[in-house]
């Protein structure tokens, strides 16, 4: 028997669930009747339950015989066994279960969220978060994605409160002092998509999209922050109905902002839940980055209504089908909604994050066999979302957007209200394109890593070669390593888009690089070549010195995403030791005229890494380099927006101010930021695109009085974005006593547990705070582990990558080894390998870097 899969001898078709949450005692009582099909005459039913008390379980089988079960709960296996005296008759039966549970504070299952109302009083609400396997904490159920059922929810609540679930309300009646809210039947769907939220809630006026009313919900006092989220919800819902060629599968769409929420958002059908920063925003007071976050997350969750909710992966190994597709569709929808945001160029930053992790020996394939659902927890990462979306984009561009969409429509139509696997998607795309999709795609999905495509000119021919890209020549040697058999070096089918300039003309060419190398003749009058034209490919390009020099001569003729890739790939090749750091630094001087915010994020990102590696004596030199590169751009842009200026330019201005004021430690920028911030305090309008940067710079240069002021502003923030700005500003103060204060607030309840792990991660990455932060983490690990939600420790521990000296590295290894800490999947190994990459770069380049920086 598989300990992770329930037997299929008795399977559910429908749940009628009634729950009575009590927000005062923080408990709930529940009762459910499950319509089941008995396929074998067994005496036992096994289903999932954890941290629930089952008071009674009674079955009536197809023969009409009623039997009471002997109930055993196995907390370790998260199962509930119901044993009956006589075998159940095969056919349709009814199982009734009465149970009790607690509204926990771990942000999973059926949990409580605590917030302050506009009058400052503390309030409690209840919400759910079930993915991947926490529905079993709210009601006993067959908690696997393939056991799709209809859910009919009834909530009996305090009559002063409001309840929301997946579907429309059928009736509201009174029972004593309780209000009984009965919801309509759901579509046939998986348990992890069931949701209910109970509390004092406000909602916006619904906007109809066809027959679907769309509303945003929040705690009282925040409705004024809902319109932007509602707008993108409506726009993306329309977009997806058109793209998928299938109507929205629910009967209404509510988007709910929950004050305590572990993830970013959750795609419960018809009742999508969000952390407040991902849904509520004041459009006039937010930066481009803050608005884009809301648009992205809302579009992503809406995309799931089809990809995930209507068609669901059969088991957790297929989670990429959900997440990669939702991420890909999110880009399409936001790009269609606001083309001026150039969303696909900005996606380069996400793709780069995936390339970064996937360049480790300890990476993993997008899809791999999963037995325990717990193994899938570590799948909610950059490889599933961003690498997955990148390879889909690459495939879309390779097949053509219309053919790709035809395949997606076919897949959804064929498998709606059911489950599917990767092979089903390939089959549908294959039917649409008449191409062998598995041959092209399997290497990208089922093998780890990606290729480095080297481009050179040899003997009058253009030569393309592929090899796997890795930062380190060998896998990391560490105490947790498990021996793996040596695999044949992987080879990918790489769709390489080329743009060749020759004789003053440009031509595009498409090569499927399937072997180790391929050659093609150079045209007469050859001038330059861009590989990965358009930037959609999930691979890196390494040009030989002459070809790179030719591209650097003609930067304005490259698209922004191509310039982004040129910088980002050169940096990766440098970190991998394939190009000298000094050569990379010289190259960055060519980008002083750059005006694209994404290209700048690649440039500034590399300086951000160097600031954690540079020897103390060389720090001033590195700061001067940052100023040398970034000052011309900020000078050209000025500090105030020009009339008719693009939103992205405003965001770039903010990014440059932040980088110069912190990384560049530029005194004049710090002084000017303080002036602008003071003007903002006096009520002068300041461009919202630079305000977050001003706050960060002022904190970086700030003293204790400023810290107190920012702390007060964090507590009294008017919007979720303002709260985040001041919260992260607390990490930027450089005085050790203030670092200590901020650290203390991550475990004393002042900073929400949904945010605290991320705050600690930032502190671990910051040069001025990392030593104190690491000491704090090692001292308070157990407390944090107890307080933080499920994935909190994994998120926080990522900060160890910033501890980039050999001494700290040894200490990090010692700590994790002695405590035998497992962060799930390959997470810890990936962090340790990234740390090694940084320390190796420091060991290899410190001397040359010092000499280079001493040059003026
Ligand atoms: Zn998602």
């Amino acid at each position: 028997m598989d300990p992770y899969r329930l037997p299929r001898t008795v399977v559910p078709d429908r749940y009628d669930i009634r729950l009575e949450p009590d927000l005062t005692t923080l408990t709930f009582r529940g009762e459910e009747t499950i319509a089941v099909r008995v396929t074998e005459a067994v005496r036992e039913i096994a289903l999932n339950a954890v941290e629930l008390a089952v008071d009674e379980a009674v079955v009536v089988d197809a023969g009409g015989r009623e039997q009471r079960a002997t109930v055993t709960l196995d907390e370790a296996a998260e199962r509930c066994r119901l044993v009956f005296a006589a075998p159940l008759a095969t056919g349709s039966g009814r199982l009734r279960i009465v149970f009790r549970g607690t509204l926990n504070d771990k942000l999973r299952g059926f949990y409580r969220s605590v917030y302050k109302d506009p009058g400052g009083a503390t309030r409690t609400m209840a919400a759910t978060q079930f993915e991947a396997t926490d529905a079993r904490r709210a009601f006993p159920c067959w908690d696997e994605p393939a056991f799709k059922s209809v859910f009919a929810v009834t909530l009996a609540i305090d009559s002063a409160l409001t309840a929301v679930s997946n579907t429309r309300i059928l009736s509201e009646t009174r029972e004593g002092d309780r209000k009984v809210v009965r919801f309509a039947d759901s579509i046939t769907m998986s348990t992890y998509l069931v949701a209910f939220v109970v509390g004092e809630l406000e909602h916006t006026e619904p906007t109809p999209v066809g027959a679907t009313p769309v509303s945003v919900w929040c705690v009282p006092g925040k409705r004024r922050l809902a319109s932007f989220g509602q707008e993108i919800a409506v726009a993306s819902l329309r977009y997806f109905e058109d793209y998928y060629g299938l109507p929205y599968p629910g009967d209404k769409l509510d988007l709910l902002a929950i004050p305590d929420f572990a993830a970013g958002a959750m795609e419960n059908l018809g009742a999508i839940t969000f952390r407040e920063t991902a849904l509520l925003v004041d459009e006039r007071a937010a930066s481009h980055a803050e608005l884009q976050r809301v648009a992205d997350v809302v579009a992503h969750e809406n995309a799931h209504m089809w990809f995930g909710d209507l068609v669901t992966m059969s088991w957790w190994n297929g989670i990429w089908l959900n997440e990669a597709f939702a991420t890909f569709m999110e880009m399409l929808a936001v790009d269609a909604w606001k083309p001026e945001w150039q969303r696909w160029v900005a996606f380069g930053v996400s793709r780069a994050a995936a390339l970064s992790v996937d360049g480790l020996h300890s990476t993993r394939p997008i899809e791999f066999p999963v037995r325990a659902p717990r193994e899938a927890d570590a799948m909610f990462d950059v490889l599933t979302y961003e690498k997955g979306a990148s390879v889909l984009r690459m495939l879309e561009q390779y097949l053509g957007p219309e053919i790709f969409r035809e395949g997606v429509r076919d897949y959804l139509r064929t498998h709606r209200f059911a489950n599917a696997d990767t092979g089903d998607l390939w089959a549908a795309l294959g039917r649409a394109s008449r191409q062998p999709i598995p041959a092209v795609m399997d290497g990208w999905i089922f093998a780890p890593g990606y290729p480095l495509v080297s481009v050179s000119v040899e003997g009058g021919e253009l030569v393309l070669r592929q090899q796997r890209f890795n930062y380190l020549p060998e896998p990391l040697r560490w105490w947790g390593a498990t021996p793996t058999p040596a695999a044949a070096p992987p080879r990918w089918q790489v769709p390489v888009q080329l743009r060749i300039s020759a004789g003053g003309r440009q031509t595009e060419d498409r090569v499927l690089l399937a072997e180790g190398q391929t050659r093609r003749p150079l045209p007469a009058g050859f001038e330059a070549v861009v590989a990965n034209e358009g930037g959609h490919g999930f691979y890196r390009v390494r040009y030989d010195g002459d070809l790179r020099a030719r591209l650097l001569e003609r930067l304005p003729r490259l698209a922004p995403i191509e310039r982004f890739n040129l910088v980002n790939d050169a940096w990766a090749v440098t970190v991998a030791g394939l190009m000298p750091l000094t050569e990379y630094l010289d190259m960055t001087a060519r980008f002083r005229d750059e005006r694209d915010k994404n290209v700048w994020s690649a440039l500034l990102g590399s300086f951000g890494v160097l600031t954690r590696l540079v020897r103390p004596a060389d720090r001033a030199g590195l700061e001067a380099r940052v100023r040398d590169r970034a000052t011309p751009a900020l000078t050209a842009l000025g500090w105030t927006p020009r009339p008719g200026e693009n939103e992205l330019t405003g965001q770039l201005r903010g990014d440059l101010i932040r980088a110069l004021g912190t990384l560049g430690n530029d005194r004049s920028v710090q002084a000017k930021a303080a002036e602008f911030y003071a003007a903002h305090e006096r009520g002068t309008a300041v461009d919202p695109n630079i305000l977050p940067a001003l706050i960060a710079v002022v904190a970086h240069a700030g003293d204790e009085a400023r810290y107190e002021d920012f702390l007060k502003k964090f507590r009294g923030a008017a919007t979720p974005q303002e709260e985040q700005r001041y919260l992260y500003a607390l990490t930027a103060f450089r005085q050790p006593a203030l670092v200590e204060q901020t650290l203390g607030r991550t475990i004393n309840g002042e900073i929400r547990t949904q945010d605290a792990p991320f705050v600690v991660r930032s502190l671990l990455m910051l040069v001025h705070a990392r030593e104190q932060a690491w000491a704090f983490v090692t001292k308070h690990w157990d407390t944090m582990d107890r307080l933080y939600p499920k994935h909190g420790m994994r998120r926080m521990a990522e900060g160890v990558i910033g501890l980039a000296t050999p001494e700290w590295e040894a200490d990090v290894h010692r700590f994790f080894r002695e405590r035998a800490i497992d962060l799930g999947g390959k997470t810890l190994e990936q962090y340790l390998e990234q740390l090694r990459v940084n320390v190796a770069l420091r060991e290899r380049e410190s001397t040359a870097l010092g000499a280079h920086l001493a040059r003026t």
Side-chain angles (χ1 to χ4, degrees):
M1 192 188 79
D2 186 335
Y4 304 113
R5 303 280 192 117
L6 293 170
R8 301 189 142 265
T9 45
V10 180
V11 297
D13 281 327
R14 175 190 173 89
Y15 296 72
D16 284 272
I17 307 172
R18 179 191 159 110
L19 287 158
E20 285 191 36
D22 185 330
L23 298 186
T24 318
T25 59
L26 302 175
T27 58
F28 61 92
R29 291 190 297 150
E31 190 184 319
E32 61 183 344
T33 300
I34 310 172
V36 293
R37 264 173 300 129
V38 179
T39 59
E40 260 178 58
V42 289
R43 282 183 46 221
E44 180 180 326
I45 298 178
L47 66 170
N48 296 114
V50 66
E51 289 176 12
L52 291 175
V54 174
D55 295 321
E56 189 178 81
V58 177
V59 74
V60 178
D61 67 15
R65 182 207 284 241
E66 180 174 312
Q67 296 191 69
R68 185 172 297 266
T70 308
V71 181
T72 336
L73 290 167
D74 180 346
E75 289 287 319
E78 305 190 351
R79 277 193 187 183
C80 170
R81 278 178 64 213
L82 310 176
V83 178
F84 302 94
L88 305 175
T90 56
S92 301
R94 267 193 346 270
L95 172 63
R96 186 170 156 271
I97 305 179
V98 180
F99 54 94
R100 283 170 291 136
T102 309
L103 297 171
N104 71 74
D105 64 352
K106 300 292 282 189
L107 319 191
R108 67 200 286 204
F110 200 7
Y111 71 92
R112 61 184 190 258
S113 172
V114 179
Y115 62 94
K116 292 241 183 343
D117 71 11
T122 300
R123 300 280 177 186
T124 303
M125 64 184 289
T128 55
Q129 169 59 37
F130 291 165
E131 194 178 19
T133 55
D134 288 326
R136 62 189 68 172
R137 292 170 189 275
F139 56 95
C141 56
W142 278 259
D143 200 9
E144 295 175 13
F147 288 110
K148 284 198 166 187
S149 299
V150 170
F151 295 86
V153 173
T154 299
L155 292 166
I157 58 173
D158 186 317
S159 54
L161 302 179
T162 301
V164 177
S165 186
N166 303 88
T167 53
R168 292 190 193 208
I169 293 174
L170 284 183
S171 67
E172 259 190 40
T173 51
R174 287 293 173 127
E175 266 179 31
D177 62 345
R178 301 236 123 196
K179 176 159 82 178
V180 179
V181 186
R182 208 155 72 81
F183 295 91
D185 287 3
S186 74
I187 61 164
T188 300
M189 66 182 196
S190 308
T191 44
Y192 79 91
L193 295 168
V194 175
F196 18 90
V197 179
V198 176
E200 290 176 49
L201 300 168
E202 289 184 351
H203 68 90
T204 60
E205 196 56 42
T207 309
V209 174
T212 310
V214 179
S215 302
V216 172
W217 294 72
C218 53
V219 298
K222 297 191 172 170
R223 198 164 40 187
R224 69 198 159 79
L225 305 173
S227 58
F228 183 81
Q230 183 155 358
E231 226 179 282
I232 174 62
V234 165
S236 57
L237 199 65
R238 283 202 185 105
Y239 181 85
F240 293 136
E241 288 198 323
D242 177 56
Y243 183 96
Y244 293 132
L246 280 173
Y248 167 69
D251 64 1
K252 55 95 183 175
L253 180 59
D254 290 323
L255 302 97
L256 302 107
I258 313 292
D260 292 286
F261 197 83
M266 177 63 213
E267 67 266 25
N268 316 299
L269 183 82
I272 306 174
T273 43
F274 296 78
R275 63 166 62 201
E276 289 186 336
T277 45
L279 180 61
L280 303 178
V281 67
D282 178 350
E283 192 173 356
R284 288 149 310 144
S287 70
H288 166 74
E290 290 163 344
L291 291 171
Q292 186 184 287
R293 164 104 203 276
V294 172
D296 284 354
V297 180
V298 171
H300 178 102
E301 302 308 322
N302 265 355
H304 273 310
M305 299 298 111
W306 289 261
F307 252 99
D309 294 10
L310 182 63
V311 178
T312 312
M313 69 274 151
S314 302
W315 183 245
W316 298 108
N317 59 309
I319 193 71
W320 86 273
L321 285 172
N322 276 13
E323 296 305 345
F325 246 97
T327 305
F328 169 79
M329 294 304 305
E330 152 201 340
M331 298 301 142
L332 284 185
V334 173
D335 190 46
W337 186 50
K338 293 215 187 262
E340 68 276 19
W341 282 6
Q342 300 177 34
R343 194 60 192 83
W344 280 111
V345 183
F347 182 68
V349 178
S350 308
R351 187 189 290 110
L355 288 166
S356 205
V357 173
D358 209 24
L360 303 172
H361 293 282
S362 52
T363 185
R364 61 168 179 85
I366 288 179
E367 181 173 338
F368 62 88
V370 168
R371 278 189 72 220
R374 186 164 27 88
E375 294 169 36
D377 281 349
M379 276 184 153
F380 290 86
D381 67 359
V382 74
L383 296 171
T384 295
Y385 286 71
E386 277 78 18
K387 181 181 178 182
S390 301
V391 301
L392 289 174
R393 176 63 164 172
M394 187 165 68
L395 181 62
E396 184 218 26
Q397 295 294 305
Y398 179 69
L399 299 178
E402 282 77 31
I403 288 171
F404 183 85
R405 185 179 65 180
E406 205 34 65
V408 169
R409 289 178 166 190
D410 176 358
Y411 169 82
L412 290 173
R413 265 195 314 271
T414 309
H415 302 285
R416 61 185 150 170
F417 307 112
N419 298 81
D421 297 304
T422 299
D424 297 317
L425 178 65
W426 292 171
L429 288 166
R431 285 193 292 274
S433 65
R434 298 168 198 281
Q435 293 208 43
I437 304 296
V440 182
M441 290 307 288
D442 280 356
W444 301 98
I445 303 294
F446 296 108
Y450 57 87
L452 173 67
V453 175
S454 302
V455 186
S456 55
V457 172
E458 293 168 24
E461 287 181 316
L462 189 65
V463 186
L464 304 177
R465 294 190 175 85
Q466 64 159 310
Q467 67 185 89
R468 182 170 172 184
F469 176 83
N470 277 120
Y471 289 104
L472 297 175
E474 294 289 328
L476 181 75
R477 291 206 202 109
W478 70 302
W479 40 276
T482 45
T484 44
R491 178 135 321 148
W492 290 267
Q493 301 228 1
V494 194
V496 183
Q497 301 263 128
L498 299 171
R499 189 170 69 248
I500 297 173
S501 308
R505 285 184 48 232
Q506 297 206 332
T507 48
E508 281 167 18
D509 195 2
R510 205 169 75 171
V511 183
L512 189 66
L513 175 58
E515 301 302 321
Q517 71 166 46
T518 184
R519 294 169 172 263
R520 43 193 51 210
L522 274 190
F526 172 78
E527 292 153 2
V529 59
V530 176
N532 199 5
E533 179 270 335
H536 307 294
F538 192 78
Y539 53 87
R540 296 195 189 279
V541 179
R542 180 189 182 195
Y543 297 98
D544 75 19
D546 176 53
L547 289 177
R548 194 173 68 240
R550 287 164 183 257
L551 290 179
L552 289 171
E553 288 303 324
R554 46 179 62 223
L555 283 178
R557 278 185 262 177
L558 267 55
I561 187 69
E562 294 167 353
R563 299 198 299 276
F564 175 91
N565 285 342
L566 190 63
V567 173
N568 190 248
D569 289 347
W571 171 243
V573 163
T574 303
V575 175
L578 302 171
M579 174 171 151
L581 177 59
T582 53
E583 203 175 313
Y584 173 78
L585 288 173
D586 285 338
M587 182 182 139
T588 61
R590 310 293 284 269
F591 288 83
R592 288 193 185 94
D593 296 328
E594 181 60 54
R595 295 292 179 269
D596 182 86
K597 81 170 176 70
N598 300 300
V599 181
W600 271 108
S601 92
L603 292 161
L604 297 172
S606 63
F607 283 106
V609 172
L610 290 176
T611 198
R612 294 194 285 268
L613 310 182
V614 74
R615 295 182 300 207
D618 300 327
R619 179 164 308 283
L622 183 65
E623 290 169 352
R625 271 299 178 281
V626 173
R627 295 195 295 271
D628 174 76
R629 301 302 188 256
T631 302
L634 181 58
T635 306
L637 293 181
W639 280 62
T640 43
R642 314 236 157 102
E645 180 185 277
N646 177 324
E647 204 174 304
L648 301 183
T649 306
Q651 183 65 48
L652 171 60
R653 178 181 294 113
D655 295 348
L656 291 167
I657 291 172
R658 185 191 297 258
L660 283 165
T662 58
L663 273 180
N665 204 20
D666 185 320
R667 298 298 147 84
S668 65
V669 167
Q670 288 166 359
K672 200 156 180 182
E675 263 172 51
F676 268 71
Y677 185 75
H680 163 73
E681 289 271 274
R682 290 193 304 269
T684 309
V686 165
D687 179 18
N689 282 307
I690 70 164
L691 188 56
L694 298 179
I695 292 169
V697 173
V698 166
H700 182 80
D703 59 8
E704 199 175 337
R706 187 73 85 177
Y707 184 93
E708 283 307 313
D709 179 38
F710 279 18
L711 182 61
K712 214 182 304 159
K713 292 200 162 93
F714 159 64
R715 289 176 178 149
T719 68
Q721 287 71 30
E722 196 178 302
E723 186 183 281
Q724 292 287 302
R725 292 171 194 166
Y726 286 108
L727 171 59
Y728 283 93
L730 298 182
T731 68
F733 288 86
R734 288 178 286 174
Q735 296 78 346
L738 300 179
V739 172
E740 214 53 42
Q741 277 198 39
T742 306
L743 284 165
R745 296 195 158 91
T746 63
I747 55 169
N748 73 355
E750 284 186 72
I751 298 173
R752 287 182 186 280
T753 59
Q754 65 168 7
D755 297 319
F758 298 98
V759 170
V760 179
R761 178 175 72 178
S762 294
L763 288 162
L764 284 165
M765 299 269 217
L766 286 165
V767 171
H768 68 268
R770 57 186 167 178
E771 186 163 11
Q772 277 171 276
W774 176 238
F776 188 88
V777 165
T778 55
K779 187 169 166 204
H780 296 287
W781 182 274
D782 292 334
T783 307
M784 292 168 155
D785 197 18
R786 188 163 39 79
L787 290 174
Y788 294 172
K790 192 164 148 201
H791 302 300
M793 299 308 274
R794 165 147 33 102
R795 307 271 187 240
M796 178 187 78
E798 188 180 8
V800 302
I801 296 166
L803 297 166
T805 69
E807 298 74 28
W808 276 329
E809 185 189 22
D811 199 48
V812 166
H813 277 256
R814 191 178 323 122
F815 177 76
F816 285 106
R817 185 181 61 236
E818 280 171 6
R819 306 288 300 255
I821 287 161
D822 179 5
L823 298 173
K826 293 190 164 196
T827 307
L828 178 58
E829 188 179 356
Q830 289 171 358
Y831 294 166
L832 295 176
E833 190 178 342
Q834 282 167 293
L835 176 57
R836 177 95 283 274
V837 169
N838 282 344
V839 176
L841 178 62
R842 178 194 190 107
E843 288 170 333
R844 195 174 61 238
E845 296 281 9
S846 269
T847 308
L849 177 63
H852 184 86
L853 293 176
R855 270 177 17 217
T856 46

